[in-house]
Amino acid sequence: MMTEEVPHISSCLEELDEFSISHKEVLKKSNFRKMSEVSGVMANAEIKPKFTHRAKKWSDGVENLYRFQQAGYRDEIEYKQVKQVDMVEYWPETGFVKKLQRRDNTFYYYNKQRECEDKEVHKVKVYVY
């Protein structure tokens, strides 16, 4: 019987190349807009996340990830890959996702206010590329 050693998360973090995005950068509101612009370019390629972890506390980035995951996608990058769209609709006042189309072509419409309650935050997965 052969056993394979699973690397510790800290060693995985060290192996990430210079082009990867840290989870802290993903969750910053200022960087979320930049990620949205970059994800349009990344959507054309088959980009797979390097690793994932669960959100610990609510932020604007976690809110948007919650909305994408509720519609059946990992994040904005996967949504753009699957739906072949360039832009995702956001509420201009808050920057939260406004509308998403599920894989079965049903639309989800979201409010301007926060929808991810504190008790739901731990269910959100944050993907690092």
Side-chain angles (χ1 to χ4, degrees):
M1 182 171 157
M2 188 179 248
T3 60
E4 186 175 322
E5 186 175 320
V6 178
H8 190 269
I9 189 102
S10 61
S11 64
C12 290
L13 286 171
E14 292 170 4
E15 293 174 5
L16 292 175
D17 60 60
E18 62 188 52
F19 297 107
S20 65
I21 300 170
S22 76
H23 69 282
K24 291 180 183 174
E25 290 176 20
V26 169
L27 299 179
K28 285 184 190 173
K29 185 175 184 175
S30 61
N31 288 339
F32 195 72
R33 289 275 185 221
K34 293 176 193 172
M35 262 195 57
S36 180
E37 296 166 6
V38 171
S39 66
V41 175
M42 293 173 69
N44 295 333
E46 286 294 322
I47 305 294
K48 300 288 184 193
K50 298 209 178 193
F51 68 92
T52 183
H53 67 278
R54 301 280 181 170
K56 301 289 185 221
K57 66 178 196 173
W58 185 89
S59 70
D60 292 341
V62 169
E63 177 67 33
N64 281 328
L65 286 172
Y66 173 78
R67 293 173 186 219
F68 280 108
Q69 290 170 18
Q70 193 177 35
Y73 303 96
R74 279 192 311 253
D75 51 20
E76 182 177 2
I77 295 168
E78 184 185 38
Y79 179 77
K80 288 181 174 182
Q81 285 175 350
V82 172
K83 288 299 176 186
Q84 299 295 312
V85 295
D86 293 330
M87 294 292 296
V88 176
E89 289 187 50
Y90 292 94
W91 288 104
E93 299 89 353
T94 60
F96 297 151
V97 173
K98 185 176 186 178
K99 175 179 77 171
L100 293 174
Q101 188 175 12
R102 292 185 354 185
R103 294 173 195 260
D104 65 358
N105 294 325
T106 304
F107 284 93
Y108 274 177
Y109 294 92
Y110 298 100
N111 295 324
K112 293 178 189 176
Q113 299 86 8
R114 173 182 174 176
E115 291 193 8
C116 180
E117 297 177 18
D118 285 333
K119 66 181 181 180
E120 302 289 322
V121 169
H122 74 281
K123 296 177 183 177
V124 177
K125 292 183 182 178
V126 179
Y127 295 89
V128 180
Y129 294 88

